Amino acid sequence: APGVSSYENNGCVGIISTTYCQSQSLRLYKHLSQFDNQYYDEMSGTSMATPLVASLCALMLSKDTTLTPAQIKDILQNTAQPSLSNSFTPLAGIIDAEAAIKAVGETKFDAPVENLKTTRIVFDTAWLTWDAPTGNEHSILGYRVFCNGVIVDSCTQATSAKIYPIPSGQNVFLVSVLYEDGFVSTRKETRAIAPEIFNVTATIRPQEGGVVTGTGRYTANALVTLTAVPNEGYEFVEWINLGDPDFSSKLTHYTFRISQDENFGAAFQKAVANEQAENQAFSLTPNPAHEQVKISSPALISRISVVDLQGRTVKQIDHVNASEYTLDVQGLENGTYVISLQTQNGNLQQKFVKL
């Protein structure tokens, strides 16, 4: 029930009730002359909502004195009408007394699940676990899983669930038990906050100019590093931000903290051959490769890193101290990677394909 004024389909605000003084709000602010000199007034807030909900609970108990507080809450939530207000929790609604009293006579309860918890949240995916009920009198058919009041699995046999996608912010997860002969349990509840998620994308011009690592999804305020890797015969020119015409950066590795969706452009151009470029080149043979790739560098290598196109380092070899090295790539998934060398001449990079 609302704790502040709530505008609904019928246009009413608050609750009309008897009061100890002649009407003020209805007469002065709503201009309803029929309430002049009457001991009625309109108010809103928990002071008005609480006695209405409490009286409905009393009616429910008068019909079934065995109801527990959890069962009463479950029936109220399951029979409530949706609220147009966005200021309440996902399970909030407008109580429906007729539906609630009817549900008292129709709902048959057995034991709920135990130890429901959110084990982890990654981006917009949540994992739940729970234990089977104890002390139940009926055979279990399955479990019903809810996210913010909406059914996401109507009858799973497992005592765990993966929920995707979930919105950022506060989320309410519930699990109930379905039993034989129409019996159910109250819904157990756990809450968890999902992080705000932003997307980083990149447009490459020309498309054959190179690849960009570091794009993907990130949580708010995460540190993002985009790396431009030119293909053979091309060189990196600059970054542009497609949402900010004033932005430009010539850094091959561009790092920033994310606070919104970002779409970058990576500009490459045909490289001009010169002696310095030849001195900085290194070879990968074979490329593509299935099991091993031989790395030959004009300078002494101190570290080798293999980075996927999402910017994640999937393999790293430290203290190489050689200009040639045979890299085992059997454990990598098939796809395109960037091999980065840390050498005495600086950092060198080249695209590599694993078959």
Side-chain angles (χ1 to χ4, degrees), residues 306-342:
V306 182
V307 182
D308 66 16
L309 294 186
Q310 283 70 51
R312 297 171 297 195
T313 300
V314 295
K315 191 179 185 70
Q316 182 169 295
I317 310 296
D318 293 314
H319 311 298
V320 177
N321 298 325
S323 59
E324 292 189 353
Y325 187 86
T326 300
L327 182 67
D328 183 0
V329 296
Q330 291 187 82
L332 300 180
E333 294 183 0
N334 294 348
T336 302
Y337 298 86
V338 173
I339 291 183
S340 177
L341 306 184
Q342 189 177 90

Side-chain angles (χ1 to χ4, degrees), residues 5-16:
S5 295
S6 177
Y7 295 81
E8 301 296 340
N9 288 324
N10 59 11
C12 292
V13 182
I15 298 169
I16 295 177

Side-chain angles (χ1 to χ4, degrees), residues 70 73-75 77-78 89-92 112-118 126-130 143-156 158 160-161 163 166 171-177 185-192:
K73 176 184 176 182
D74 206 63
I75 290 174
Q77 288 180 336
N78 281 325
T89 68
L91 299 181
V113 301
E114 298 180 358
N115 301 319
L116 172 63
K117 57 186 176 182
T118 307
W127 285 263
L128 311 179
T129 62
W130 60 88
Y143 302 94
R144 182 165 289 168
V145 183
F146 302 78
C147 176
N148 299 324
V150 178
I151 297 175
V152 294
D153 196 326
S154 59
C155 190
T156 178
S160 62
I163 303 177
I166 60 174
N171 285 271
V172 182
F173 307 111
L174 306 105
V175 176
S176 64
V177 189
S185 77
T186 57
R187 300 182 296 181
K188 284 291 187 176
E189 174 184 316
T190 182
R191 297 178 179 238

Side-chain angles (χ1 to χ4, degrees), residues 6 18-19 27 37 45 51 53 67 124 137 165 180 208 227 229 244 259-260 273 283 286-288 291 320-321:
S6 177
T18 55
T19 184
R27 177 172 59 85
N37 302 317
V53 177
L67 288 174
D124 52 359
E137 298 178 354
E180 288 183 343
E208 66 273 14
T227 301
V229 183
D244 182 2
S259 59
Q260 62 183 15
S283 64
N287 186 13
E291 297 180 351
V320 177
N321 298 325

Side-chain angles (χ1 to χ4, degrees), residues 246-295:
D246 298 325
F247 171 85
S248 176
S249 174
K250 297 185 181 300
L251 297 173
T252 304
H253 305 276
Y254 176 65
T255 301
F256 64 98
R257 288 199 179 275
I258 189 166
S259 59
Q260 62 183 15
D261 289 338
E262 300 284 4
N263 186 9
F264 289 89
F268 297 88
Q269 67 181 13
K270 286 282 189 178
V272 177
N274 55 57
E275 184 177 348
Q276 181 183 5
E278 291 177 359
N279 290 336
Q280 289 184 347
F282 69 95
S283 64
L284 299 174
T285 54
N287 186 13
H290 177 64
E291 297 180 351
Q292 294 180 330
V293 58
K294 183 179 180 180
I295 302 172

Side-chain angles (χ1 to χ4, degrees), residues 183-206:
F183 281 77
V184 296
S185 77
T186 57
R187 300 182 296 181
K188 284 291 187 176
E189 174 184 316
T190 182
R191 297 178 179 238
I193 297 176
E196 194 170 9
I197 300 169
F198 299 112
N199 295 303
V200 178
T201 56
T203 302
I204 300 171
R205 292 291 184 271

